[in-house]
Amino acid sequence: MSLYGVMRTGGSGMNAQSNKLATVADNIANVNTTGYKRASTEFSSLILRSGSGNYNSGSVETQVRYAISDPGTMNYTTSATDLAIQGNGFFIVSDAGGTPYLTRAGSFVPDGQGNLYNTAGYYLMGYDIRNGATPDVVANGLGNLQVVNIAQQTLVGNPTTQARLDGANLDANAAITAGAPNFTSKTSLITYDNIGNAVKLDMYMYKTAANTWNVEVYNSANAAAGGGFPYTPAAPMATQTFNFDVSATGKGRLTAASPTSIAFTIPGGSPVTFDMSNLTQVADEFQFKATTNGNAPSGLDRVEVAADGTMYSIFDDGTRLATYKIPLATVPSPDNLSPEAGNVYSVSINSGNIQVDFAGNSGLGTIKPEALEASNVDLANELTAMIESQRGYTANSKVFQTGADLLDVLVNLKR
């Protein structure tokens, strides 16, 4: 047995315990860091070949592992841009230079330009779906992603260009009238002109014959004082006659020959063809439900994030628009991702290639708004590991000291 080997073995043990103590110190320091994943030092023996009559002491090797796939507990907040992932997956973020990374730290806030970034300075990435755009997802890459911005989302005035009847019924037992102003039913519709001004339209319906109804549209701004007839000018903006099939097969729906829409031009706005194909005439009370597009100008009130990662902007007038779709990413071996400064991870050879999809798909978890994932460090376990490391270091130092003392005895034999 070599005394030098004993000393080297003792030194190797001290170095290994020092590495373990370093990971324990890191874990304890980050016990309250959002999304932090604990590190651990694993030991493996290094055995040297020995002869039959002597033993060559080896050493110990260490490898640092990260419990990246081990989730932390959920802490709930009141911020709509605090995001956590329940299940598998990572947020995609980028640094100021545009380099992408993965993270579980979702404590995002807007910067001076409205870009969402977390406490480490990494910006949240997502797909822009404003104006009805479809996310152009690259399944095995990070292309087409943009920094999520909530400051540039102002609702400009848009004219009404489409109108649709979701469901409406005219009472089949209504009396036949000579027409306006002797109407049977009335409703109003809010539309918008080219610069977002609200334009109220009055719609009158009256029965002119069996199973035959006229619908007339007037500009409410032209009504008499207090509303209603007479309008100035007296002529309606549009008139259409609808016919209904009351046979066993028609069941009060429009006949095949009947018009299915009414067309008009909004004052100061655009031409609109109002789809009336869902209009019926059955023995029930008058009902009218319609949907139009267009809106008045409005400022941003708040944002919301759904479980599938869709971010909505809620404006002052109550309008709700989808603006971004936040994807999640994963790799075949998350625990082999390479940790980087700022609680982010980069893809390595051992982790496998990145895969991108939306929350709830491809084995990915869901996004929890107004929540943050806490560190997965168990403080009691770390304190225990610290004591173990301290005792191990002390024991290895005794081995080193004993080898050094024996070497002194050997050197002094010549005296």
Side-chain angles (χ1 to χ4, degrees), residues 20-71:
K20 181 176 181 180
L21 190 59
T23 58
V24 169
D26 229 7
N27 292 340
I28 293 176
N30 288 280
V31 68
N32 293 320
T33 300
T34 299
Y36 176 80
K37 303 300 180 180
R38 61 183 174 83
S40 61
T41 302
E42 306 293 336
F43 295 168
S44 62
S45 60
L46 178 62
I47 304 299
L48 300 181
R49 186 178 298 276
S50 302
S52 59
N54 64 329
Y55 183 82
N56 293 324
S57 59
S59 61
V60 59
E61 291 183 314
T62 59
Q63 181 178 5
V64 178
R65 292 183 176 178
Y66 298 88
I68 299 174
S69 60
D70 184 13

Side-chain angles (χ1 to χ4, degrees), residues 133-355:
T134 301
D136 189 7
V137 180
V138 179
N140 61 345
L142 303 177
N144 304 320
L145 289 168
Q146 300 181 18
V147 175
V148 176
N149 183 287
I150 65 172
Q152 299 175 1
Q153 299 169 18
T154 56
L155 190 63
V156 298
N158 292 303
T160 297
T161 57
Q162 298 176 355
R164 182 187 72 250
L165 196 64
D166 296 323
N169 180 67
L170 303 174
D171 187 356
N173 296 320
I176 296 174
T177 70
N182 299 312
F183 58 89
T184 304
S185 301
K186 180 206 172 190
T187 190
S188 294
L189 196 67
I190 296 297
T191 61
Y192 297 91
D193 66 13
N194 291 331
I195 58 175
N197 289 314
V199 178
K200 182 181 177 183
L201 303 181
D202 293 336
M203 301 186 68
Y204 294 91
M205 287 139 277
Y206 54 93
K207 192 175 185 181
T208 60
N211 308 319
T212 301
W213 290 73
N214 273 14
V215 176
E216 296 181 354
V217 181
Y218 293 84
N219 184 357
S220 182
N222 298 334
F229 291 94
Y231 286 81
T232 304
M237 294 169 50
T239 302
Q240 189 61 271
T241 301
F242 296 92
N243 301 304
F244 296 90
D245 183 356
V246 294
S247 66
T249 55
K251 297 181 179 179
R253 293 187 291 266
L254 293 172
T255 65
S258 174
T260 58
S261 63
I262 182 170
F264 49 84
T265 298
I266 297 170
S270 303
V272 175
T273 299
F274 194 168
D275 182 359
M276 304 277 284
S277 57
N278 289 326
L279 186 63
T280 63
Q281 179 208 246
V282 297
D284 197 2
E285 62 183 10
F286 171 69
Q287 298 179 31
F288 198 95
K289 296 179 181 179
T291 300
T292 64
N293 66 348
N295 58 267
S298 182
L300 180 67
D301 179 39
R302 65 186 187 279
V303 296
E304 294 179 356
V305 180
D308 66 351
T310 304
M311 176 176 285
Y312 294 92
S313 292
I314 315 300
F315 296 91
D316 293 332
D317 65 352
T319 301
R320 179 187 183 92
L321 294 179
T323 52
Y324 287 92
K325 192 74 177 285
I326 301 170
L328 297 180
T330 188
V331 292
S333 180
D335 289 341
N336 284 314
L337 288 167
S338 297
E340 309 286 350
N343 206 14
V344 295
Y345 307 96
S346 58
V347 176
S348 68
I349 295 177
N350 293 329
S351 69
N353 294 328
I354 193 169
Q355 296 293 320

Side-chain angles (χ1 to χ4, degrees), residues 34 77-85 90-95 101-111 114-126 147-150 303 305 311 326-328 342-344 367-373:
T34 299
T77 72
T78 58
S79 173
T81 55
D82 280 344
L83 305 175
I85 301 172
F90 300 85
F91 295 113
I92 302 169
V93 295
S94 68
D95 60 14
Y101 297 96
L102 306 181
T103 189
R104 299 274 290 197
S107 54
F108 297 106
V109 295
D111 64 7
N115 298 315
L116 292 183
Y117 74 113
N118 63 16
T119 51
Y122 290 94
Y123 290 91
L124 178 64
M125 306 298 289
V147 175
V148 176
N149 183 287
I150 65 172
V303 296
V305 180
M311 176 176 285
I326 301 170
L328 297 180
N343 206 14
V344 295
I367 294 177
K368 292 288 185 182
E370 298 184 3
L372 294 173
E373 181 180 2

